[in-house]
Amino acid sequence: MGRNPVTWLGSPTFPRAARTALGDTQLRTNLRKATTTIRAKRARAVAELADWERLRRAGEAIKNDVLANLDTYLVRLEEAVTARGGVVHWARDAEEANRIVFDLARAKGADEVVKVKSMATAEIGLNEYLRARGVRPVETDLAELIVQLGNDRPSHILVPAIHRNRSEIKEIFSRAMAEPPDSDDPRVLAEAARRHLRRRFLSAKVAVSGANFAVADTGSVVVVESEGNGRMCLTLPETLITVMGIEKLVPTWRDLEVFLQLLPRSSTAERMNPYTSVWTGVTPGDGPGEFHLVLLDNGRTATLADEVGRQALRCIRCSACLNVCPVYERTGGQAYGSVYPGPIGAILAPQLAGDMTDKQAASLPYASSLCGACYEVCPVRINIPEALTHLRARAVEARPKHTAEALAMSSAGWVFRDPRRYEAAQRAGSLSRFLAGSDGTIKRLPWPGSKWTSTRDVPAVPKESFRMWWRRNRG
């Protein structure tokens, strides 16, 4: 079965997983070093372009046009792919998409497929689906390979193994590879991965990829990468299967040019990505003899119906928002329990899940300080703070009306509506200072306050409130 994009691999709810991450010193050190480095490099790359803001607005406008006319562009894409010898499949959900890929692989007698890094296939749980049915998926992206060999979970959109340092990677490779590396030098680790994958590339009958973009006018599919492994997958196997979210369209090649400037600078801080692979249908004698394009909905149409939430579908998966997010930097991507971590995951995953009554989905929009840094760096100007507050409101509306939290909020509202009740509560609250330690914070409270103090300190209420001070000094 496919998986819900939120309840990924049975992951715990965000607060519990976040507490675990906060207690992992090595994880936090790895994340802080990596995100700080990427942020600085990206800032320098962006500063080189005087028209960066115009590019952002152009990207936003193109994506808005695609979302407003998605039905037209999808039909145009299907016609172009079919005219050039490809086959288009429509998948309403994860189950349909997984079944299509599995049936195509089995029709070719394949018991192994090589994969290009793909968020869409991770979203639908393709690897688990294939493995359960006797087809072995082999990740060929270096970071994805590290995660796969380590029986781990990705924690970043662009760099899935960002939470691992090189000594940890050497240990993983030493356990899993027939020819393990003899040091943790990055070049040695990369060479070990190259030797491990070479045989897979040369023997694979079927490859599976995602897509960064697809050009509706010509039916061309585009994958950008940094390593070249994707190009091996896209040229050597007999059959190529691409799983693509229906929102990944651009109308024309001229529109694609905008995103080929925005994406590399925002993601890898490069002027252009080292490898841009483009294929259009099937070319006899050059590359795979069969091309199948699986167009994936899986909650996207429902997301499109939300006027505020639909802007999440503009995302081009650059991960810039993760690298500036203070919550992500301290908890890592695995704490989100979602294929899509960080700020974009906090607004995209709940909508794709389509169920704000789900505890995990409803928790994600709260995984933010609303500082707005994610909006400032987004290359297609997704107003993530606006979407977060919108989804928080939806989560509140979906909750039962008679929970302990609802009762507490109702009681607080009753107190705040009357100045006398409010001041009486302040005076009562000032007694909390007797529970505070020498630093002025309360470490432990009895239940239900213990649910707060188990993860946070509580500042004691001052003896004198501002109202009392003002009355005494200005009254």
Side-chain angles (χ1 to χ4, degrees):
M1 294 292 290
R3 68 177 169 227
N4 180 306
V6 174
T7 54
W8 175 34
L9 297 182
S11 195
T13 57
F14 183 85
R16 189 181 309 135
R19 288 199 297 272
T20 301
L22 289 171
D24 189 335
T25 303
Q26 185 62 61
L27 171 70
R28 294 178 64 188
T29 299
N30 295 347
L31 286 169
R32 182 170 59 253
K33 180 179 179 180
T35 55
T36 301
T37 300
I38 296 172
R39 278 201 306 269
K41 290 177 63 179
R42 179 195 176 277
R44 291 193 295 269
V46 166
E48 293 177 350
L49 294 184
D51 62 344
W52 179 253
E53 188 58 29
R54 290 180 61 195
L55 277 171
R56 291 180 73 210
R57 291 185 179 277
E60 176 188 18
I62 292 167
K63 279 294 187 177
N64 283 342
D65 173 57
V66 167
L67 296 178
N69 300 282
L70 191 57
D71 52 348
T72 300
Y73 289 131
L74 284 171
V75 171
R76 186 182 302 172
L77 176 71
E78 181 183 30
E79 292 172 347
V81 170
T82 303
R84 289 162 176 81
V87 180
V88 176
H89 308 261
W90 299 81
R92 287 171 292 187
D93 54 25
E95 174 64 28
E96 280 195 4
N98 285 330
R99 188 172 65 250
I100 290 167
V101 175
F102 172 73
D103 289 345
L104 290 171
R106 269 301 163 86
K108 291 298 174 182
D111 57 8
E112 182 175 279
V113 299
V114 290
K115 290 187 67 217
V116 185
K117 180 178 181 295
S118 164
M119 297 300 296
T121 59
E123 175 189 324
I124 62 177
L126 178 63
N127 284 9
E128 295 83 357
Y129 187 97
L130 294 177
R131 195 177 295 115
R133 289 158 179 78
V135 177
R136 181 187 178 195
V138 178
E139 296 289 353
T140 64
D141 174 83
L142 178 56
E144 289 284 2
L145 178 65
I146 294 166
V147 170
Q148 185 177 52
L149 295 181
N151 295 315
D152 201 355
R153 291 177 293 158
S155 61
H156 194 276
I157 289 176
L158 179 67
V159 194
I162 195 173
H163 57 292
R164 297 291 192 184
N165 60 31
R166 62 190 194 182
S167 63
E168 293 173 312
I169 295 169
K170 177 183 180 296
E171 182 181 344
I172 291 170
F173 282 7
S174 297
R175 290 197 309 264
M177 290 182 175
E179 300 178 60
D182 56 13
S183 82
D184 64 0
D185 182 275
R187 289 171 297 183
V188 173
L189 296 174
E191 181 59 31
R194 186 177 294 112
R195 290 195 305 268
H196 176 79
L197 291 172
R198 183 66 59 173
R199 291 187 296 273
R200 304 281 191 263
F201 288 133
L202 295 176
S203 63
K205 296 180 180 179
V206 177
V208 177
S209 84
N212 291 100
F213 308 101
V215 182
D217 274 1
T218 61
S220 304
V221 181
V222 183
V223 165
V224 298
E225 51 162 335
S226 299
E227 300 170 15
N229 61 295
R231 187 158 294 179
M232 300 284 280
C233 291
L234 302 171
T235 55
L236 293 177
E238 301 168 8
T239 300
L240 173 61
I241 306 168
T242 297
V243 181
M244 185 187 87
I246 57 175
E247 81 282 12
K248 290 297 189 73
L249 284 170
V250 295
T252 68
W253 276 84
R254 183 177 181 180
D255 299 316
L256 176 64
E257 184 266 341
V258 172
F259 295 103
L260 291 183
Q261 293 187 71
L262 288 171
L263 181 56
R265 290 178 186 268
S266 285
S267 57
T268 56
E270 295 170 298
R271 295 182 180 92
M272 65 180 292
N273 46 284
Y275 297 91
T276 301
S277 298
V278 184
W279 64 98
T280 306
V282 175
T283 303
D286 182 14
E290 290 187 22
F291 170 57
H292 298 266
L293 176 61
V294 181
L295 294 173
L296 176 68
D297 188 325
N298 204 37
R300 287 161 174 78
T301 299
T303 302
L304 191 62
D306 187 319
E307 292 186 4
V308 176
R310 72 172 62 150
Q311 60 186 305
L313 296 178
R314 294 205 301 260
C315 177
I316 58 175
R317 310 293 192 265
C318 72
S319 76
C321 62
L322 280 70
N323 299 326
V324 299
C325 178
V327 175
Y328 175 85
E329 183 180 293
R330 286 157 179 80
T331 64
Q334 295 180 355
Y336 291 78
S338 164
V339 173
Y340 302 106
I344 186 61
I347 64 171
L348 180 60
Q351 295 189 90
L352 296 183
D355 182 10
M356 294 305 287
T357 63
D358 179 271
K359 187 175 182 180
Q360 173 69 11
S363 75
L364 290 178
Y366 293 91
S368 171
S369 64
L370 298 180
C371 66
C374 49
Y375 182 27
E376 293 177 7
V377 299
C378 178
V380 287
R381 292 174 44 84
I382 300 172
N383 192 335
I384 294 178
E386 177 189 44
L388 286 167
T389 54
H390 170 70
L391 291 175
R392 288 180 184 185
R394 282 181 51 187
V396 170
E397 292 170 0
R399 291 175 189 165
K401 305 305 179 187
H402 303 293
T403 63
E405 182 180 5
L407 178 61
M409 291 297 102
S410 177
S411 301
W414 179 80
V415 171
F416 291 160
R417 280 194 296 269
D418 184 277
R420 289 173 296 179
R421 292 196 291 263
Y422 180 68
E423 289 196 16
Q426 285 184 316
R427 288 193 296 271
S430 68
L431 298 176
S432 67
R433 67 185 187 277
F434 296 112
L435 300 174
S438 58
D439 61 353
T441 62
I442 302 169
K443 307 296 184 184
R444 290 183 179 84
L445 284 173
W447 189 90
S450 60
K451 295 176 72 67
W452 180 275
T453 55
S454 65
T455 56
R456 310 169 181 85
D457 293 337
V458 179
V461 178
K463 180 178 180 180
E464 183 179 50
S465 70
F466 176 76
R467 283 170 173 259
M468 295 169 64
W469 179 91
W470 183 269
R471 191 176 293 128
R472 178 167 58 82
N473 290 279
R474 299 287 192 271

